[in-house]
Amino acid sequence: MRIERIEQHQAFGGQQLKYRHHSDSLHCSMTFSLYLPKPSASPTSLIWWLSGLTCTDDNFSQKGAFQKYASQENVAFLIPDTSPRGELPDDEAWDLGQGAGFYVNATCEPWKQNYQMYDYLVNELPEIVYDLIPNYSGKESIMGHSMGGHGALIVGLKQPERFSAISAFAPILNPSNVPWGKKAFTAYLGTDETTWKTWDATELLQKVGEIHPPILLTQGTADPFYAVQLNETAFLANVKDTDEQVRYEKKEGYDHSYFTIATFIEEHLAFHCQQFHK
C-alpha cells in the first residue's frame, strides 16, 4: 500500500506528521495525522484520537495542545479523519455525510459502499500506522470528542481486550435517543432501531457489564449541546454499583470547544499513561 507523507512539523522535540493513502475499506483517498514523540530508548505507546462532527484530522493536531505532554510521556497520537472524502455520497446538512461518519459500518444506500468507518479504524488503519511508530510497545488506548467520543466508546467497548483505556470529552453517550444519533443511524443503518444497539455506548456498556477498559468522561456544564445531545443519565444508569472503572466528571463553566479539550488534555493523557504503566 502506498502511503504519502504530505506534512511534517517539529513540535516539542517530536514530529507532527500528516499522511495520505488509498483506503480499501472506504474506496477513497484518506488522510490521517500522527504525532511521534521525541526519540526515546523506551517503547512508545499509542493513543487514538477520534474527532467530532465537521472536523478533520487537523482540528486536534492544531488545537488539542497535547504534543508537549505526549512527548514527555513518550506517547504517539493517531488522528484519523472523521469520514470518507471526495466524489462520493454526501448530504447538504453538516451533521450527516462527509465530516459526520459516526464511526459505524453503514448498511444502507447510498452510504454502505464508502461509509465503513468502523472497519477502517479497527482493521485497515492499524496495519498502516503500527509500522510508522519507532519502537512501538503494542499498548494502545482511545479517546475522542463529541461524535468522536461516541466513536472512542464503541470501539473501546467492542474490543475491550485491545485498548488499555477509553476517555472522551462531551461524548454522545446514547445516540439512539438523541437527534444527532437518530438522524445518522436512520440514514446509515436503517429504520430498524434494534440494529442501532451495537453502535450505542449505553447499550454496549449494559452488554459488557464490568468487563471493559477504564473510562474517563469529561463534560462541560456550559456546553450548549449537553441537555439535548449529550446527557449522561441513561449511560450512567447502566454503570453497576460495583463498577469503579467509570469516571464521569462535569467541569463548571466549560463548553464544547477545543478550549475545554486543551484545558483538560493533560488530565486525560495522565489517565491513559497510568493504564499503560500497569
Side-chain angles (χ1 to χ4, degrees):
M1 180 181 294
R2 183 171 178 269
I3 306 168
E4 178 187 6
R5 188 173 68 195
I6 56 178
E7 287 187 25
Q8 181 175 356
H9 309 280
Q10 184 148 316
F12 298 98
Q15 297 291 325
Q16 184 65 64
L17 308 165
K18 186 180 179 77
Y19 292 90
R20 180 185 294 120
H21 74 105
H22 177 80
S23 167
D24 292 334
S25 302
L26 308 179
H27 305 286
C28 66
S29 178
M30 292 293 287
T31 63
F32 65 88
S33 292
L34 177 67
Y35 180 73
L36 297 177
K38 59 187 176 185
S40 171
S42 301
T44 300
S45 298
L46 172 65
I47 299 177
W48 293 64
W49 171 272
L50 304 186
S51 298
L53 289 163
T54 74
C55 291
T56 69
D57 53 306
D58 289 333
N59 294 76
F60 185 65
S61 69
Q62 297 176 13
K63 298 189 289 186
F66 66 90
Q67 287 93 342
K68 178 180 179 180
Y69 311 115
S71 194
Q72 289 173 347
E73 297 294 336
N74 192 32
V75 171
F77 263 85
L78 169 61
I79 313 164
D81 202 350
T82 52
S83 65
R85 303 283 178 175
E87 298 297 322
L88 45 86
D90 198 5
D91 191 90
E92 294 181 356
W94 59 272
D95 55 356
L96 185 68
Q98 296 186 36
F102 267 81
Y103 305 105
V104 303
N105 286 339
T107 57
C108 294
E109 298 288 0
W111 312 101
K112 66 180 183 179
Q113 180 178 2
N114 303 103
Y115 285 70
Q116 302 293 309
M117 283 299 295
Y118 181 81
D119 280 353
Y120 173 67
L121 295 179
V122 170
N123 299 318
E124 183 176 4
L125 195 53
E127 295 302 316
I128 300 170
V129 171
Y130 292 160
D131 290 339
L132 299 176
I133 304 172
N135 200 18
Y136 176 45
S137 70
K139 294 182 178 180
E140 58 187 327
S141 64
I142 190 165
M143 64 167 71
H145 171 231
S146 194
M147 179 187 72
H150 145 76
L153 282 161
I154 62 169
V155 172
L157 290 171
K158 283 173 173 284
Q159 296 199 307
E161 73 291 339
R162 175 175 169 181
F163 293 98
S164 298
I166 305 167
S167 77
F169 295 86
I172 305 172
L173 291 169
N174 191 198
S176 298
N177 289 303
V178 301
W180 279 341
K182 287 182 178 180
K183 180 178 181 178
F185 284 5
T186 299
Y188 298 142
L189 306 173
T191 57
D192 181 359
E193 296 185 14
T194 61
T195 65
W196 300 1
K197 292 183 178 181
T198 189
W199 305 108
D200 189 309
T202 295
E203 298 288 344
L204 289 171
L205 186 66
Q206 184 178 40
K207 181 178 180 180
V208 302
E210 298 177 45
I211 306 173
H212 60 77
I215 298 172
L216 171 63
L217 307 174
T218 296
Q219 174 65 57
T221 63
D223 189 326
F225 302 113
Y226 166 66
V228 174
Q229 308 282 9
L230 311 173
N231 189 273
E232 78 283 7
T233 303
F235 181 86
L236 293 183
N238 284 345
V239 178
K240 297 184 182 300
D241 293 338
T242 55
D243 188 350
E244 298 179 353
Q245 297 279 74
V246 178
R247 286 168 50 195
Y248 182 85
E249 300 179 349
K250 286 188 176 178
K251 302 296 185 179
E252 189 67 32
Y254 285 89
D255 59 21
H256 201 72
S257 72
Y258 270 82
F259 294 109
T260 300
I261 294 168
T263 300
F264 298 106
I265 192 65
E266 184 176 6
E267 176 184 327
H268 278 243
L269 185 53
F271 170 76
H272 287 258
C273 288
Q274 182 181 27
Q275 306 308 316
F276 288 150
H277 296 152
K278 285 186 175 180

